[in-house]
Amino acid sequence: MHNSATRRDVALVVEKIESLGFQALPMPGSIRTTVGVIGNKGFVDEDRLLHLPGVQEIIHITKPYKRVSREFKPETTLVKVGTQVTFGNGAPVLIAGPCAVESYDQLQHVARGLAQAGVHMLRGGAFKPRSSPYSFQGLKEEGLNILRQVGDEFRLPVVSEILSINDLDQFASHVDMIQIGARNMQNFDLLQHVATLDKPILLKRGLSATMEEFLLAAEYILNQGNTRVVLCERGIRTFETSTRNILDLNTLALIKLESHLPIIADPSHAAGRSDLILPLSRASLAAGADGLIVEVHPNPAEALSDGRQSLTLDQFIQLQAAMGRA
Ligand code: PEP
Ligand code: MN
C-alpha cells in the first residue's frame, strides 16, 4: 500500500482479496502496510487490485515459501524471549549450556559461570534424540524440572528440544523457547502442534535439508499464526567427513536476504569438535548471524553426550573475550 493509504483503503483491499476466495494478511510496517495474499494456486490478476485506492504495487511472490519470505515482509522480524532477550535487532544473542541436562549440580555449575560471563540464554537437552538407542536419552521430565529451576536461579531464559507432541504441556510450562531439532525439522505434525503453543520456537536445519525445505518447515509454523520463529544453521552433511558437519554459511547469508526471520548459528554441532568453535563463531557473526548457540560442559571428558564438541567454562570465557564480548 502507499504510505498515505488509510485504514479504510487497507480494509477494502482485504475485502477484495477475500471476495476472490483467498486469505488476506495485512502487515503494518514502519513505513507502509503490506497485505499478503495466501491460498492462490496460480497468478493473481493484478487488475482486480491495482485500481483500488491506496494500492501502490503488486509484488508476485514466486517462491514456494510465502509468509517467511522478505518479499512478503521486508522488515526483519524481532523475536522476543521473555522480557530480556530479542533476536533480530542487530545485537547477537548468545545461548550456551550443556548438550544434555545431566544433574542439578552439573547444570547449576555451568549456568553460574555462564551467567557471570553474560550469556543471554541457557540451553540444555532433557529429551535427547540420540543416533543409537543405547546412548543416554536424557533425564526427560526431571531434566526439564532442573532446567527450569536453574534458569530461574540465574534469571536466564531456557531453551530445550521437544521430541514428541505427548510432551507439549510440559514444555509449555517449563521452557521459554522450544527447540525443534535437526532430526525433526520435517516432522510436520510436531511443527504444527508446537506452533499452537504461545512460545517462541528455535527451528534447526535438518541434516540434509535444502534451504527451501528449511524455509518451508518454518512456513508450517507461521501458517499456524505463530511468527516467533528463530532459524538455526547447525551444519549439513556433505561428502566431506573430516568434521562432523559443514557449517553452511552460504545458506545462512542467503537466508538473511530471503527471509525476515532471525537466524543463528550452532558451531558446536557443525564442527563436532571444540577447537573449531571460535573461528566458526566469528565467521557466523561476520556472515550476519543473529546469535550463536554453543555447547558448554563443566567437564567435557565426562559428558554424557557431545563431549568432544563441548567447551569448558574457561574456554567459553576465552571465546567471548576473543570475540570482543567479555
Ligand atoms: C542439540 O542441540 O543438542 C541437538 C541435538 O542438535 P541438532 O538437532 O542440531 O542435532
Ligand atoms: Mn548436542
Side-chain angles (χ1 to χ4, degrees):
M1 305 295 292
H2 269 292
N3 52 14
S4 60
T6 63
R7 283 230 205 114
R8 189 173 149 66
D9 293 342
V10 175
L12 274 175
V13 167
V14 168
E15 211 173 282
K16 184 72 189 174
I17 291 168
E18 287 172 353
S19 78
L20 295 170
F22 311 131
Q23 203 185 328
L25 194 74
M27 290 167 285
S30 57
I31 300 170
R32 60 184 193 161
T33 293
T34 307
V35 184
V37 180
I38 308 263
N40 56 305
K41 290 270 172 352
F43 213 65
V44 176
D45 186 1
E46 299 197 350
D47 296 343
R48 314 290 285 272
L49 296 163
L50 210 46
H51 69 277
L52 294 175
V55 172
Q56 185 183 32
E57 60 177 332
I58 311 280
I59 302 170
H60 293 277
I61 299 179
T62 45
K63 309 280 166 47
Y65 40 85
K66 311 240 178 253
R67 293 178 189 257
V68 304
S69 78
R70 258 201 210 274
E71 285 175 315
F72 202 85
K73 176 175 181 282
E75 291 165 350
T76 299
T77 290
L78 301 181
V79 177
K80 282 190 185 300
V81 181
T83 52
Q84 296 157 252
V85 175
T86 305
F87 291 85
N89 66 2
V93 173
L94 210 44
I95 309 173
C99 179
V101 178
E102 297 171 6
S103 68
Y104 177 79
D105 289 347
Q106 172 240 20
L107 192 68
Q108 200 215 29
H109 178 110
V110 83
R112 174 175 293 123
L114 292 173
Q116 277 166 6
V119 306
H120 306 107
M121 286 181 66
L122 180 66
R123 63 152 290 150
F127 296 81
K128 293 306 301 176
R130 304 307 299 281
S131 299
S132 163
Y134 309 119
S135 301
F136 174 60
Q137 305 284 314
L139 295 182
K140 306 197 162 97
E141 293 79 7
E142 190 195 343
L144 282 186
N145 287 335
I146 294 172
L147 184 64
R148 179 73 275 157
Q149 199 179 336
V150 172
D152 287 346
E153 203 172 324
F154 297 105
R155 294 178 185 230
L156 291 172
V158 298
V159 57
S160 197
E161 177 174 356
I162 191 167
L163 296 185
S164 161
I165 58 170
N166 298 329
D167 303 324
L168 286 168
D169 290 345
Q170 278 187 62
F171 275 78
S173 59
H174 283 72
V175 306
D176 303 293
M177 185 178 213
I178 300 183
Q179 178 174 324
I180 306 268
R183 288 156 195 81
N184 274 313
M185 187 204 81
Q186 284 189 313
N187 184 339
F188 302 119
D189 189 50
L190 183 64
L191 292 175
Q192 283 171 303
H193 276 90
V194 171
T196 61
L197 300 178
D198 186 24
K199 294 273 176 192
I201 297 172
L202 182 63
L203 177 65
K204 298 187 94 177
R205 183 179 182 187
L207 281 70
S208 304
T210 62
M211 181 189 75
E212 186 175 302
E213 288 164 339
F214 190 17
L215 291 179
L216 282 170
E219 186 87 10
Y220 267 90
I221 300 172
L222 270 72
N223 199 35
Q224 296 291 316
N226 185 347
T227 55
R228 296 162 80 194
V229 177
V230 176
L231 304 169
C232 179
E233 164 57 40
R234 48 78 71 203
I236 51 168
R237 285 203 167 154
T238 72
F239 63 87
E240 176 61 88
T241 52
S242 52
T243 52
R244 186 175 178 182
N245 292 293
I246 299 297
L247 184 64
D248 182 3
L249 293 180
N250 290 26
T251 292
L252 189 148
L254 185 55
I255 282 180
K256 293 298 301 174
L257 301 180
E258 285 286 312
S259 176
H260 54 82
L261 295 175
I263 178 164
I264 65 170
D266 176 346
S268 306
H269 290 87
R273 46 190 282 175
S274 56
D275 55 356
L276 296 182
I277 307 302
L278 173 61
L280 296 187
S281 297
R282 281 186 163 140
S284 302
L285 295 182
D290 296 293
L292 299 169
I293 179 164
V294 179
E295 289 186 339
V296 183
H297 194 282
N299 182 4
E302 301 286 316
L304 297 180
S305 67
D306 286 349
R308 276 195 66 199
Q309 67 198 37
S310 298
L311 297 176
T312 62
L313 265 173
D314 282 348
Q315 287 169 335
F316 181 80
I317 290 162
Q318 284 165 22
L319 168 89
Q320 278 202 309
M323 293 197 309
R325 286 201 72 255

